């Protein structure tokens, strides 16, 4: 009986700790959101989104940084997503467990552990200086593409792994080629997972600061081409706060960032529900 | 009529198959006659399914496997170098143990094969889908909901859908790997009736655990045991006068 009681005791304590863990996660999230939105929301008017920053960001809005953020993220996904999904397909469908696949996996794991400032340094030395692309959307986007690769690869690989082998067998047994099996059976079934990976990558690209300052610069001028330098919202937030230019504007930018990420998440959720779940 | 006069569709000669060092099939020599149903019976793990999958080279998707000997389809060894495996698999279709429709619509499932093979226009594919569903005796049940998800069908319907999906690529041989093991008796009966119907146009090879099914449906029966064929011949002979004592023990239910 005594042993039994202590078992129940352990059970209750464990349950308590697990609940506390979950609740504190939510509490931290709410605290951060509350803090930023309380200070930032009053600044958010339509003008704030549609005006470009004036006087170093003390006045005006964030329009050029919004454009910069979207352009940079777009370039990062444009290069990073196909490369990452392609690598995942290669690892899952073209090589069985082998030396090559182990080397690639080891490489991506290493890449995932590299601090972003190192990516920034690499991007600066390679894209900005070596390839003479200067501080630009392209330099920054390519650097971010390299940074998000591990995420795209591992989430895509995971969702490709989860597809029942019988789907492939059926496709082959109906006379499908390998390529048709990949494009018509494997990728469509893996789409929700691949999408999630890309979404995480978008979030990471939008939030990245260190690597972006080093590769895309911090210009407030509206970009005109892929070779223009830009300032993203995260960098803008960092500079406004770090150099004490305007805490008010910094919080406004922060709130806008949060809303942007929230919007992208909701949109993606909607897309997944609309086009993927219903089809399956 | 003696059944030995029938045309030979497929034949294996000295067929061996290995999973790594596991010798799964030992010297299999079987003749599969055209437009007949050939049943493969035997205890679990005896190599029936492995054998079935050597007939459309589906086994080679599994790593570390090796094959020796020949599998002849219409006089050509399907394992000789230069064989078009994609077109082989279209000629030798397969129905799997568990109904495994793609998580797509009923229409898309049947249209999958014709689409990947590039068989005709949209209109022709629609006709193909209708014909195939009719041939698989599923059309009356699904004609009004071709675009609903295939997974909403009952298991028996799903299996007939899988048969329709195979028919849509116009195969010559249909391999069935325990097609009824996941189905209830009524659904099983429907599949068996369907097989008799399909026999008029197709050569069928079926792996089954169900003795009665083999006896009811097939013209030829092979008894597999530990990777070997102990006995092969007309179904009637195998079930009434088995030569091998192991076969007799198995079909009379003394072990399984």
């Amino acid at each position: 009986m005594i042993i039994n009681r202590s078992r129940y005791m352990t059970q209750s304590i464990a349950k308590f700790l697990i609940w506390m863990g979950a609740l504190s996660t939510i509490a931290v999230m709410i605290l951060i959101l509350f803090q930023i939105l309380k200070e930032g929301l009053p600044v958010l008017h339509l003008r704030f989104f549609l005006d470009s920053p004036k006087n170093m960001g003390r006045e005006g809005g964030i329009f050029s940084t919004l454009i910069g953020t979207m352009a940079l993220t777009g370039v990062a996904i444009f290069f990073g997503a196909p490369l990452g999904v392609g690598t995942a397909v290669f690892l899952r469908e073209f090589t069985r467990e082998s030396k090559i696949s182990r080397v690639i996996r080891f490489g991506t794991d290493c890449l995932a552990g590299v601090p972003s400032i190192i990516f920034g340094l690499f991007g600066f030395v390679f894209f900005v200086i070596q390839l003479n692309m200067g501080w630009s959307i392209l330099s920054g986007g390519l650097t971010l593409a390299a940074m998000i690769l591990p995420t795209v690869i591992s989430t895509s690989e995971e969702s490709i792994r989860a597809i029942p082998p019988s789907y492939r067998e059926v496709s082959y047994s109906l006379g499908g080629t390998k390529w048709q099996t990949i494009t018509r059976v494997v990728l469509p079934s893996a789409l929700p997972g691949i999408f999630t990976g890309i979404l995480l990558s978008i979030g990471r690209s939008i939030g990245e600061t260190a690597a972006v300052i080093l590769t895309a610069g911090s210009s407030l001028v509206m970009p005109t081409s892929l070779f223009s330098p830009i300032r993203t919202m995260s960098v803008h937030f960092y500079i406004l706060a770090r150099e004490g230019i305007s805490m008010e504007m910094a919080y406004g930018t922060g709130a806008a960032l949060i809303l942007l990420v929230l919007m992208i998440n909701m949109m993606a959720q909607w897309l997944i529900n609309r086009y993927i779940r219903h089809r399956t | 009529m003696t059944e030995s006069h029938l045309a030979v569709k497929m034949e294996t000669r000295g067929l061996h198959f290995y999973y790594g060092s596991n010798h799964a099939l030992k010297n299999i020599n079987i003749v599969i006659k055209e437009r007949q149903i050939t049943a493969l019976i035997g205890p679990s793990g005896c190599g029936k399914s492995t054998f079935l999958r050597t007939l459309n080279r589906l086994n080679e998707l599994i790593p570390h496997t090796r094959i020796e000997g020949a599998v002849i389809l219409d006089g050509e060894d399907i394992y000789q170098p230069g064989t078009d495996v994609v077109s082989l698999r279209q000629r030798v279709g397969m129905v799997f143990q568990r109904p495994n429709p793609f998580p797509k619509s009923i229409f898309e499932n049947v249209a999958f094969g014709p689409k990947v093979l590039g068989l005709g226009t949209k209109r022709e594919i629609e006709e193909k889908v209708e014909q195939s569903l009719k041939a698989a005796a599923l059309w009356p049940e699904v004609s009004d909901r071709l675009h609903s998800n295939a997974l909403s069908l009952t298991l028996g319907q799903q299996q007939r859908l899988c048969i329709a999906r195979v028919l849509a690529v116009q195969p010559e041989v249909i391999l069935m790997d325990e097609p009824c093991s996941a189905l209830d008796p009524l659904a099983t009966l429907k599949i068996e009736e369907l097989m008799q119907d399909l026999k008029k146009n197709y050569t069928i090879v079926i792996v089954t655990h169900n003795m009665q099914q083999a006896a009811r449906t097939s013209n030829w029966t092979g008894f597999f045991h530990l990777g070997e064929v102990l006995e092969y011949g007309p179904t009637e002979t195998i079930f009434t006068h088995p030569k091998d004592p192991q076969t007799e023990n198995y079909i009379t239910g003394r072990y399984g």
Side-chain angles (χ1 to χ4, degrees):
Chain A
M1 279 320 270
I2 291 164
I3 295 166
N4 259 344
R5 214 186 297 154
S6 92
R7 284 200 317 151
Y8 289 125
M9 196 65 179
T10 316
Q11 149 104 349
S12 315
I13 293 171
K15 203 170 164 186
F16 173 76
L17 287 176
I18 287 167
W19 267 96
M20 284 305 292
L23 287 180
S24 39
T25 309
I26 295 173
V28 168
M29 193 191 77
I30 289 175
L31 266 173
I32 293 175
L33 280 182
F34 179 75
Q35 174 71 10
I36 302 279
L37 293 181
K38 190 187 79 177
E39 303 283 339
L41 278 182
V43 187
L44 297 188
H45 298 291
L46 194 58
R47 295 231 62 98
F48 185 73
F49 289 100
L50 296 183
D51 281 349
S52 278
K54 293 184 188 77
N55 193 5
M56 294 305 288
R58 278 181 199 90
E59 294 158 46
I62 55 165
F63 188 59
S64 69
T65 68
L66 190 66
I67 296 300
T69 304
M70 294 204 285
L72 196 73
T73 305
V75 170
I77 300 299
F78 180 81
F79 288 105
L83 200 59
V85 174
T87 307
V89 168
F90 175 79
L91 284 173
R92 281 280 117 206
E93 305 290 320
F94 284 90
T95 59
R96 311 207 189 270
E97 282 307 305
S98 67
K99 239 187 201 130
I100 304 175
S101 69
R102 275 197 294 275
V103 168
I104 294 177
R105 263 196 210 100
F106 181 70
T108 47
D109 286 347
C110 289
L111 218 53
V114 173
S116 63
I117 188 78
I118 304 293
F119 276 103
L121 202 62
F122 159 76
F124 180 71
V125 171
F126 187 65
F127 296 123
V128 177
I129 308 284
Q130 193 79 28
L131 298 183
N132 203 18
M133 283 154 42
W135 280 333
S136 62
I137 295 176
L138 201 57
S139 299
L142 288 170
T143 307
L144 287 181
M147 218 166 83
I148 61 174
L149 264 183
T151 315
V152 179
I153 292 173
S154 64
T155 49
S156 305
E157 215 197 324
E158 225 24 74
S159 57
I160 291 174
R161 192 206 306 271
I163 300 167
S166 74
Y167 286 9
R168 295 182 186 86
E169 283 182 354
V170 172
S171 173
Y172 287 126
S173 77
L174 290 170
T177 61
K178 185 162 203 157
W179 181 243
Q180 288 173 324
T181 303
I182 290 170
T183 52
R184 291 170 189 242
V185 178
V186 174
L187 287 181
S189 311
L191 215 53
I194 291 172
F195 217 72
T196 309
I198 291 176
L199 205 67
L200 286 171
S201 307
I202 291 176
R204 184 146 186 226
S205 302
I206 290 177
E208 182 50 40
T209 313
V212 174
I213 292 186
L214 283 171
T215 52
S218 58
S219 159
L220 279 172
V221 179
M222 188 61 109
T224 50
S225 82
L226 286 180
F227 293 97
S228 308
I230 43 118
R231 181 188 288 193
T232 64
M233 287 162 72
S234 299
V235 172
H236 191 49
F237 177 89
Y238 170 75
I239 291 175
L240 289 180
R242 178 76 171 74
E243 297 180 2
I245 295 172
S246 163
M247 275 324 273
E248 192 196 358
M249 287 301 188
Y251 272 119
T253 311
L257 253 176
I258 288 178
L259 290 182
L260 183 68
V261 172
L262 204 69
M263 227 169 61
I264 290 171
N265 268 312
M266 276 168 21
M267 221 162 67
Q269 209 61 48
W270 181 80
L271 277 174
I272 287 178
N273 282 331
R274 176 83 179 69
Y275 290 104
I276 297 167
R277 293 248 171 78
H278 284 205
R279 215 182 47 205
T280 59
Chain B
M1 149 177 123
T2 54
E3 287 173 318
S4 55
H5 291 308
L6 294 159
V8 173
K9 186 66 188 174
M10 291 190 92
E11 185 179 354
T12 66
R13 289 182 196 153
L15 183 71
H16 291 262
F17 190 84
Y18 303 84
Y19 292 106
S21 58
N22 175 13
H23 197 170
L25 293 178
K26 297 165 190 161
N27 194 26
I28 311 286
N29 298 283
I30 278 187
V31 171
I32 292 158
K33 305 269 181 159
E34 191 163 27
R35 292 176 200 203
Q36 296 272 293
I37 298 177
T38 304
L40 308 175
I41 59 171
S44 299
C46 64
K48 313 176 294 273
S49 294
T50 302
F51 174 74
L52 202 65
R53 285 161 173 256
T54 59
L55 300 182
N56 65 348
R57 293 184 61 168
L58 209 55
N59 262 345
E60 63 192 25
L61 298 179
I62 305 166
H64 314 301
T65 56
R66 191 158 57 84
I67 192 158
E68 283 166 18
V71 177
I72 318 276
L73 170 65
D74 285 342
E76 302 256 344
D77 183 0
I78 63 171
Y79 281 94
Q80 73 192 354
T83 301
D84 180 356
V85 183
V86 168
S87 99
L88 163 75
R89 293 198 182 121
Q90 176 256 314
R91 292 173 66 194
V92 184
M94 184 151 197
V95 176
F96 295 81
Q97 185 169 357
R98 290 208 48 93
N100 53 3
F102 294 122
K104 301 176 183 217
S105 71
I106 294 168
F107 179 88
E108 283 301 325
N109 264 281
V110 184
F112 183 89
K115 278 186 180 171
V116 298
L117 295 170
L119 301 178
T121 61
K122 190 164 174 274
R123 183 85 205 94
E124 284 164 335
I125 287 177
E126 281 170 5
E127 272 167 29
K128 194 90 237 149
V129 169
E130 182 174 338
Q131 280 170 18
S132 306
L133 284 167
K134 279 179 176 160
L138 192 59
W139 180 253
E141 292 157 67
V142 300
S143 60
D144 56 342
R145 50 172 176 147
L146 287 179
H147 295 284
S148 50
N149 195 316
L151 296 175
S152 66
L153 299 172
T154 65
L155 279 181
Q157 289 172 326
Q158 286 183 21
Q159 196 62 305
R160 276 179 285 144
L161 178 68
C162 293
I163 294 174
R165 186 168 64 180
V166 168
L167 297 181
V169 300
Q170 296 165 298
E172 297 158 34
V173 181
I174 302 175
L175 310 174
M176 297 183 163
D177 190 357
E178 297 185 44
C180 302
S181 64
L183 308 184
D184 64 58
L186 266 178
T188 301
L189 185 67
K190 281 212 164 142
I191 302 268
E192 287 181 10
E193 286 171 359
L194 180 58
M195 284 167 60
Q196 296 308 323
D197 216 32
L198 294 175
K199 192 180 117 179
K200 293 170 200 149
N201 298 308
Y202 305 93
T203 305
I204 296 176
V205 185
I206 177 173
V207 163
T208 177
H209 263 122
N210 181 332
M211 253 8 78
Q212 287 81 14
Q213 184 168 56
R216 273 194 305 261
T217 58
S218 69
N219 311 98
W220 301 81
T221 297
F223 176 63
F224 277 69
H225 186 71
L226 299 175
E228 289 177 276
V229 175
L230 290 188
E231 200 162 346
Y232 183 67
T235 299
E236 219 181 280
T237 317
I238 299 271
F239 278 88
T240 52
H241 306 291
K243 285 186 215 109
D244 193 291
Q246 299 251 41
T247 316
E248 187 173 358
N249 285 342
Y250 184 71
I251 60 178
T252 52
R254 236 166 279 171
Y255 77 103

